[in-house]
Amino acid sequence: MRLFGTNGIREVVGETLTAPFLTRVASAVAAMIEPGDPVVVGWDGRTSSPAFARIASSTLALAGHRVVELGVLPTPAIQFMVPRLHAQLGVVITASHNPPEFNGLKCIGADGLEVARAFEEGIESGVERNVTSRTPYSRIGEVMTDASGAHQYVSAIISHVDANAIAARKPTVVLDCGNGASVVTSPTLLRRLGCRVITLNGQLDGTFPGHLSEPTQANLADLARAVPALGADLGIAHDGDADRAVFVDATGRYVPGEQILTLLARDAVERNHGGLVVTPVSASQSVEDAVRPLGGEVIYTRIGSPTVTHEMLERRAVFGGEENGGVVFPKHQLARDGAMTAAAVLDLLARRRATLAEVLAELPRYTLVKEKVGCPVELREKVLAHVAVALAKDSDRVVTIDGVKAYREGGWVLLRPSGTEPLFRVFAESKDPMRARALADSGLASVRQALRDLDAKS
């Protein structure tokens, strides 16, 4: 039984994700740990999250655990609080950027990192065996609340940047909270940094009425219009659980996540006089181009923040992250952190006394195209095997760290099954935008041909 994808369990509410299902998952989680140190439970702003969180809390308490509920917080804020509350585990009810009909669950270790795959396999085994608690009445745990998470988290971020330098510039920021969990932290953070803050979608609403939760260019059209219309210095947007930050410059130009990753990787390596950067195989070549002249080295991993953060811990990396706006600052915590990313960009601009467009203009320029095509979950492995053969034929080099990445004339294309949705993701990059588009189209064609071939055989 495989329940966990790249970043936790994510399923459609009322279909796979029901109260009995979550009770089974929470029972399996409870069986993985011994009663003793508390278990932290937090959740995002989705309509089902409070109810599912209370199912998780009650199930854990009935198994003998002391539960500390943090309430609605960004996922990185919950991760930040787990070690500070001396908890042995954190349980987060979230589906991150998925559409509103989804919800899910992820587990955080005592060190604040997302748990390793082996722990997830233990939970899956428990669900399959339908483990249940037989804790007697005299050993039932309790459920407590802790409302200090937002304040502690925001204060910690501020300690890692030069708040006075940012405040001296008094930047005007349009902040798109996307009706997600960042509502309870990011507006406060930016105001405490001395910014003039104008919010969009600043009310918590799990139906995401402003736009869908993923901060794509199409979903941030209102932000892109608002920034120049209001004379703001930049725009910042978060996904549903605020572990990512995406930017718009003063002209309203959407800044692809790979450019922010490259900008902050270069800054981290420069300030540390070298060091290791960890990023997935989907990352832009611009990261390597930017850090190598400064004594930096890049290590590539499978896609997914758990893989990146565990590799960063093992390698003592100075920086890491993904091209989707999920960036990791190890001096703060080993977790993708949208609010820390926002503060770090403001800090960099204050130190450089420059605009976002000016610092981005200094970077190696590539075009990274991202596409996706539907693929039934049960066919993912067969499709992957099919496209691996197809891509190998006309490629200079093939990398199979995660999916299939084929280096071809003028760029590369990566095909991999999504770990959170029933689809294949296609990444393609080149310095020539037309070549990047052509590589992406060839990748899409390969997946569609594989689906047709498999359908013909069935």
Side-chain angles (χ1 to χ4, degrees), residues 166 171 173 190 193 195 234 236 341-350:
I166 297 170
V173 179
L190 296 183
L193 290 173
C195 301
L234 73 162
I236 303 172
T341 303
V345 169
L346 289 167
D347 179 72
L348 185 152
L349 298 180

Side-chain angles (χ1 to χ4, degrees), residues 157 161 166 169 171 173 190 193 195 233-236 245-248 255 259-261 263-264 267 271 319 325 327 329 337-357 359-360:
I157 292 172
V161 298
I166 297 170
R169 288 174 60 88
V173 179
L190 296 183
L193 290 173
C195 301
D233 295 286
L234 73 162
I236 303 172
V246 173
F247 296 81
V248 168
V255 180
Q259 292 184 21
I260 296 297
L261 176 67
L263 177 69
L264 293 172
D267 187 57
R271 297 177 77 184
F319 187 77
V327 181
F329 301 84
D337 197 321
M340 184 69 240
T341 303
V345 169
L346 289 167
D347 179 72
L348 185 152
L349 298 180
R351 283 186 280 111
R352 297 285 301 277
R353 299 180 181 273
T355 66
L356 182 57
V359 295
L360 291 173

Side-chain angles (χ1 to χ4, degrees), residues 227-308:
V227 172
L230 294 169
D233 295 286
L234 73 162
I236 303 172
H238 294 298
D239 62 334
D241 70 338
D243 63 353
R244 293 157 58 187
V246 173
F247 296 81
V248 168
D249 72 15
T251 69
R253 185 181 76 89
Y254 175 88
V255 180
E258 65 271 12
Q259 292 184 21
I260 296 297
L261 176 67
T262 302
L263 177 69
L264 293 172
R266 185 185 69 169
D267 187 57
V269 169
E270 186 173 31
R271 297 177 77 184
N272 284 276
H273 308 290
L276 189 68
V277 174
V278 177
T279 193
V281 291
S282 55
S284 171
Q285 178 65 33
S286 63
V287 175
E288 199 167 326
D289 290 355
V291 304
R292 282 197 178 278
L294 301 171
E297 180 185 355
V298 177
I299 296 293
Y300 295 99
T301 70
R302 292 177 59 83
I303 291 173
S305 57
T307 306
V308 172

Side-chain angles (χ1 to χ4, degrees), residues 5-6 20 51 69 72 77 127 223 236 242 245 247-248 252-253 259 274 307 369 447:
T6 306
E69 289 190 341
V72 176
V127 172
L223 178 63
I236 303 172
F247 296 81
V248 168
R253 185 181 76 89
Q259 292 184 21
T307 306
V369 177
V447 175

Side-chain angles (χ1 to χ4, degrees), residues 381-440:
E381 295 305 317
K382 291 181 179 179
V383 170
L384 184 59
H386 194 289
V387 298
V389 173
L391 261 63
K393 292 179 181 177
D394 302 313
S395 302
D396 300 325
R397 179 164 61 100
V398 172
V399 174
T400 56
I401 294 173
D402 191 355
V404 183
K405 184 176 186 179
Y407 288 85
R408 293 181 164 179
E409 182 180 354
W412 55 262
V413 59
L414 168 66
L415 309 178
R416 68 175 292 274
S418 170
T420 57
E421 298 175 77
L423 50 85
F424 251 74
R425 298 195 184 277
V426 178
F427 303 79
E429 182 178 68
S430 174
K431 286 189 173 182
D432 179 354
M434 293 184 64
R435 179 58 178 158
R437 181 70 259 175
L439 287 166

